[in-house]
Amino acid sequence: MTVKVNTSGKALDGVRILDFTHVQSGPTCTQLLAWFGADVIKVERAGAGDITREQLRDIPDADSLYFTMLNHNKRSITIDTKNPEGKKVLETLVKKCDVLVENFAPGALDRMGFTWERIQELNPRMIVASVKGFGPGPYEDCKVYENVAQCAGGAASTTGFDDGPPTVTGAQIGDSGTGLHLALGIVTALYQRNTSGRGQRVLAAMQDGVLNLCRVKLRDQQRLERTGVMKEYPQYPNGTFGEAVPRAGNASGGGQPGWILKCKGWETDPNAYIYFITQAPVWGEICKVIGREEWIDHPDYKTPNARLPHLKQIFDEIERWTMSKTKFQAMEILNKHDIPCGPILSMKEIAEEPSLRKTGTVVEVDHPVRGKYLTVGNPIKLSDSPTEVVRSPLLGEHTDEVMAELGYSPDQIATLRSLGAI
């Protein structure tokens, strides 16, 4: 059964997106816009579609979770853009849509015949939004994937422990992070179009997006160059600092020292840990909870600066206390004293957390081929535009529907299909 996506009354109702994206960065962007009510028309190749439909499959011949979790609330049409008649269909879509979003390899859109100048001829109000690996510069023609972006954007060099290699994070800050940046750029361009009447180009480079998320490390680089030392890093006071910001393990990125500590059951449960922050205003409460009241007024521990050389000793002592409690028991006690902390939650625990289901942060969706599956919902909640997560489209599911909306008759659609254009 074909799903008709209802966008009535949504924040972006009336905005039509021509979605030429694939894999993760672009689909993250267009899915977010679809969640907010935009009509997202995903253009795919007949017989194949987005490569992630078949990547990391867990059910034979069913769209993978990789695809389904990035393409909710969209409509799918198939067009052969190399076919002259298919290209005409695409030109019609460009005329009728507000935004074209793409994350092709550099220059691919131009090679298709859709340069910025050509698009402007077809639709001067069109916004063309692109994800690229790098912005203008020596690497702008290079292909980039998630982990490459993390490395080139400064994240890997500052992640991990000082005695180990650079480390990438499991959070998809390169792909999904850049997609979120691009979505903001698109909405901003749409807003400006209300007064200018013109479309414009929007670029989100993955290196730039990662760096934006690593800004505190650029802050620290300048502090290091000025002072030669960063007292809140675990290398202080006994280690050494080089010319660049080092890897800081689990140290907090802000001015409040924090660390991941073992909890009861850590020997068998790899996630029996808690993140504990020694926030200055509750230092006295921390000392009372762990049974170290004498530290409250001790000159070596009384002030935040005095505590910095002793952070390892302090966290070792706190860990003796956390190891006697499960992470949830520790959370309950610490929250009563307003001590900042957070459990290390596994993906299994997150999937089973009732509160995340209730808020729509985790959603169960029913798919006609693969059945029910869990997915993330819209992380941004609008009071007047609640998000209904609709399952991802089957390949080409909405081709006839969209073609009819463009003014093509059933006979014309049949002819285009016989010509291999759609």
Side-chain angles (χ1 to χ4, degrees):
M1 178 183 294
T2 296
V3 171
K4 179 70 174 179
V5 178
N6 179 19
T7 61
S8 177
K10 299 294 185 180
L12 294 181
D13 189 20
V15 175
R16 181 173 283 176
I17 310 290
L18 185 55
D19 183 1
F20 263 110
T21 70
H22 57 287
V23 192
Q24 185 178 167
S25 58
T28 296
C29 167
T30 52
Q31 178 173 259
L32 189 62
L33 299 174
W35 278 340
F36 287 137
D39 178 16
V40 176
I41 301 171
K42 185 176 179 73
V43 179
E44 302 186 75
R45 291 182 298 120
D50 190 320
I51 192 173
T52 57
R53 285 186 183 270
E54 62 183 36
Q55 282 187 341
L56 305 176
R57 272 183 173 152
D58 56 320
I59 299 175
D61 301 321
D63 288 336
S64 71
L65 288 168
Y66 196 1
F67 176 85
T68 60
M69 294 177 71
L70 286 161
N71 291 282
H72 295 109
N73 296 57
K74 303 178 185 181
R75 298 194 287 172
S76 170
I77 66 172
T78 54
I79 300 177
D80 181 358
T81 58
K82 295 181 180 179
N83 184 301
E85 295 301 318
K87 191 172 182 179
K88 290 179 182 178
V89 172
L90 182 55
E91 288 180 345
T92 302
L93 278 166
V94 169
K95 293 175 183 178
K96 298 286 187 180
C97 291
D98 298 285
V99 185
L100 185 154
V101 189
E102 60 91 15
N103 61 332
F104 292 129
L109 201 61
D110 291 353
R111 291 191 293 273
M112 288 170 57
F114 289 90
T115 62
W116 168 247
E117 291 74 21
R118 177 57 179 152
I119 291 171
Q120 284 284 284
E121 289 175 4
L122 295 168
N123 183 356
R125 290 174 57 82
M126 170 68 79
I127 292 162
V128 177
S130 303
V131 170
K132 294 294 177 251
F134 295 94
Y139 305 117
E140 62 185 304
D141 293 329
C142 297
K143 270 189 179 179
V144 173
Y145 292 88
E146 171 64 45
N147 289 351
V148 174
Q150 289 193 32
C151 293
S157 71
T158 57
T159 303
F161 289 85
D162 199 32
D163 58 353
T167 305
V168 296
T169 173
Q172 303 291 281
I173 61 175
D175 273 321
S176 287
T178 305
L180 295 172
H181 283 90
L182 187 67
L184 176 59
I186 289 169
V187 173
T188 304
L190 284 168
Y191 184 83
Q192 187 174 17
R193 195 180 70 175
N194 290 335
T195 54
S196 71
R198 301 193 310 272
Q200 62 181 297
R201 285 175 287 185
V202 180
L203 170 66
M206 294 173 70
Q207 181 187 40
D208 299 0
V210 170
L211 178 57
N212 186 45
L213 298 175
C214 293
R215 66 179 66 184
V216 297
K217 299 301 183 180
L218 185 59
R219 172 204 66 191
D220 289 349
Q221 179 63 37
Q222 295 170 86
R223 293 172 55 227
L224 178 63
E225 290 173 358
R226 188 164 288 115
T227 66
V229 66
M230 291 181 291
K231 295 182 179 180
E232 79 283 4
Y233 272 58
Q235 288 82 357
Y236 178 82
N238 299 317
T240 59
F241 290 88
E243 294 182 343
V245 173
R247 291 181 276 285
N250 294 314
S252 171
Q256 305 293 341
W259 203 256
I260 290 178
L261 306 177
K262 298 172 183 174
C263 290
K264 188 175 182 180
W266 67 272
E267 299 92 340
T268 55
D269 181 356
N271 295 298
Y273 291 81
I274 192 170
Y275 198 90
F276 192 109
I277 297 175
T278 57
Q279 188 183 33
V282 291
W283 173 246
E285 295 298 309
I286 294 171
C287 294
K288 292 174 186 176
V289 166
I290 67 172
R292 283 289 190 174
E293 289 90 341
E294 70 274 16
W295 281 359
I296 295 175
D297 293 316
H298 193 288
D300 288 344
Y301 305 99
K302 187 175 181 178
T303 67
N305 284 336
R307 290 192 289 273
L308 288 174
H310 308 290
L311 284 179
K312 186 179 186 308
Q313 177 191 355
I314 290 169
F315 283 121
D316 285 347
E317 192 66 23
I318 296 172
E319 190 172 57
R320 291 190 184 92
W321 179 84
T322 59
M323 287 173 65
S324 68
K325 310 285 187 297
T326 68
K327 60 188 178 186
F328 298 112
Q329 290 171 338
M331 279 284 295
E332 184 178 0
I333 295 169
L334 296 171
N335 282 334
K336 290 178 182 178
H337 297 271
D338 290 328
I339 298 170
C341 57
I344 308 304
L345 294 180
S346 68
M347 280 298 154
K348 185 177 190 305
E349 290 169 318
I350 287 173
E352 296 172 354
E353 173 54 49
S355 65
L356 296 178
R357 303 285 187 99
K358 186 175 180 179
T359 60
T361 300
V362 175
V363 182
E364 185 175 74
V365 180
D366 199 5
H367 190 276
V369 180
R370 68 173 301 112
K372 292 183 178 180
Y373 64 94
L374 287 183
T375 186
V376 294
N378 193 341
I380 304 168
K381 276 66 172 180
L382 299 184
S383 62
D384 285 356
S385 185
T387 298
E388 176 190 0
V389 177
V390 179
R391 62 129 173 120
S392 60
L394 302 176
L395 178 60
E397 180 176 349
H398 303 92
T399 302
D400 288 5
E401 177 180 281
V402 172
M403 294 294 291
E405 292 172 5
L406 294 175
Y408 290 86
S409 68
D411 287 344
Q412 289 174 315
I413 295 172
T415 299
L416 288 170
R417 184 164 280 113
S418 68
L419 295 171
I422 59 174

